[in-house]
Amino acid sequence: MTEMMNQLKKIGIIPVVVLNDVKDALPLAERLMKGGLPCAEVTFRTAAAEESIRTMARAFPDMILGAGTVLTTEQADRAIDAGAKFIVSPGFNPKVTEHVLKKGMPMTPGVCTPTEIEAAMSLGLDVLKFFPAEPSGGLAMIKAVCAAYVNLQIMPTGGINAQNVRDYLKYDKIVACGGSWMVSGSLVKEGKFDQIEQLVREAAGIVKEIRG
Ligand code: 3PG
């Protein structure tokens, strides 16, 4: 694993963020840093994603910022230009993945079947996103596939929350879990940044409890 993946493994939980307004980017980044999860996957599901990443990356250069839901090479280029340090996609798109890897950037495409895992591994990847984690079999499925692909490490997202994240974090093939429960769209929209910081702090506490 790369140094950045090792850092993400130490952080343990990656807040998955959908930002509709760039003005929320800075207060959100501040609360993530203060609460103890100095990372985020900012999804390209909104027009505000690119500028939000740029704003967060400038204010907090040490934050490990990824761009999520990257579906095209053009989005990948914009995300990288904005300061994203890794690129995430919900599925495995060889064209986008090869494009990002050629630029020397880390990419974690989403997979949820052995066939997709092998296709992604054939490009040299050994850390993959398992998505959508809970509907696709959750930890039991991850353990089953990791038994076959012994060098594979997983970043699960989708349906992970404060109740079930402990079980994922206990499994040593999990790099970090992605989740939106501490940074939900409604909390951001309503400007409930105190509550976000509290949920982030609790999430960071769970990582410490499980991983030390
Ligand atoms: C997503 O696609 O939004 C992420 O996987 C997060 O999923 P979640 O909202 O279930 O945490």
Side-chain angles (χ1 to χ4, degrees):
M1 280 207 307
T2 63
E3 176 53 30
M4 192 195 68
M5 285 297 167
N6 278 322
Q7 283 177 288
L8 283 175
K9 194 158 192 171
K10 279 193 193 123
I11 298 170
I13 294 176
I14 305 172
V16 178
V17 186
V18 181
L19 285 170
N20 286 296
D21 194 328
V22 178
K23 79 168 173 31
D24 295 324
L26 198 52
L28 179 71
E30 281 168 1
R31 300 311 182 113
L32 295 177
M33 298 295 290
K34 274 178 81 179
L37 296 179
C39 65
E41 178 190 322
V42 180
T43 60
F44 261 67
R45 294 177 202 175
T46 66
E50 179 182 352
E51 211 42 42
S52 296
I53 291 173
R54 187 167 282 113
T55 302
M56 294 162 92
R58 276 194 190 134
F60 297 104
D62 293 339
M63 196 172 181
I64 307 181
L65 275 177
T69 324
V70 171
L71 304 179
T72 66
T73 56
E74 183 259 343
Q75 285 178 331
D77 289 342
R78 283 168 46 211
I80 293 165
D81 182 64
K85 293 178 179 167
F86 64 102
I87 303 295
V88 182
S89 56
F92 173 56
N93 179 326
K95 185 177 162 198
V96 176
T97 306
E98 283 179 293
H99 179 81
V100 172
L101 294 178
K102 265 193 202 135
K103 292 191 138 197
M105 290 290 294
M107 170 101 197
T108 50
V111 294
C112 67
T113 67
T115 303
E116 292 159 2
I117 290 169
E118 288 183 27
M121 286 177 67
S122 74
L123 296 186
L125 295 175
D126 57 6
V127 179
L128 299 173
K129 164 168 160 145
F130 183 66
F131 175 81
E134 281 288 299
S136 303
L139 189 56
M141 176 69 170
I142 292 172
K143 286 184 174 174
V145 292
C146 284
Y149 308 111
V150 293
N151 294 321
L152 184 62
Q153 303 235 36
I154 298 287
M155 298 212 294
T157 64
I160 298 179
N161 53 47
Q163 283 68 50
N164 60 16
V165 72
R166 283 179 178 78
D167 292 337
Y168 283 94
L169 290 171
K170 281 177 193 160
Y171 185 46
D172 64 355
K173 298 294 178 78
I174 303 289
V175 176
C177 297
S180 65
W181 77 91
M182 56 315 232
V183 290
S184 74
S186 55
L187 287 175
V188 174
K189 197 172 158 204
E190 292 163 24
K192 293 188 172 164
F193 291 106
D194 285 347
Q195 199 175 332
I196 287 173
E197 184 181 330
Q198 181 57 29
L199 289 166
V200 169
R201 184 163 284 120
E202 280 167 22
I206 293 173
V207 179
K208 193 158 173 46
E209 169 197 323
I210 303 295
R211 292 187 167 174

